[in-house]
Amino acid sequence: MITSREDGYELSTDPSRIDIDLVHHWLSTDTYWALGRSREAVEQSVRGSLNFAVHDAAGPQVAYARVVTDSATFAWLCDVYVAPAHRGRGLGTWLAGAVRDHLAPYHLNRVMLSTLDAHAVYAKVGFVALPNPDKLMILNSAG
């Protein structure tokens, strides 16, 4: 899937367009959830996921998101990142909406994500707070 905006940004699910070195740099140095993540872990996570990359009109990648899914019942949206110079342009919302739209034909029972500070971004495309958080449990979480 490839889609474009009038301002020249292009969103793609083509894994060959993922700049793994850049994604590794972003995640391992500039996120609260993946600080220090190894390049090998990033590469393996990209291989095992549905990936979404945003490129600017000049071609470089400026945003990323990935989805872990069985394509039947469940999906987890994670590692959503927009390069600082491109923030404030609606790219995070565009990414989240593209994920929602891409997954819609699967009629999944649940699409989840975790965020510390971007609730408003995801709410714009239909995500809501978990109605029964007491139902969930986690194993070996670092935070």
Side-chain angles (χ1 to χ4, degrees), residues 125-140:
V125 298
F127 282 89
V128 297
L130 194 64
N132 300 95
D134 54 319
K135 286 184 171 183
L136 292 180
M137 296 179 75
I138 193 164
L139 179 63
N140 295 329

Side-chain angles (χ1 to χ4, degrees), residues 43-106:
E43 188 173 359
Q44 184 175 349
S45 70
V46 168
R47 278 196 314 267
S49 301
L50 173 60
N51 299 278
F52 295 77
V54 175
H55 294 81
D56 72 10
Q61 186 174 338
V62 299
Y64 176 74
R66 70 184 181 92
V67 175
V68 180
T69 184
D70 60 12
S71 300
T73 64
F74 180 79
W76 180 265
L77 172 59
C78 53
D79 290 342
V80 179
Y81 186 90
V82 177
H86 296 269
R87 293 179 186 164
R89 301 176 192 190
L91 296 179
T93 301
W94 188 39
L95 263 172
V99 167
R100 177 202 58 210
D101 296 347
H102 188 88
L103 295 176
Y106 298 109

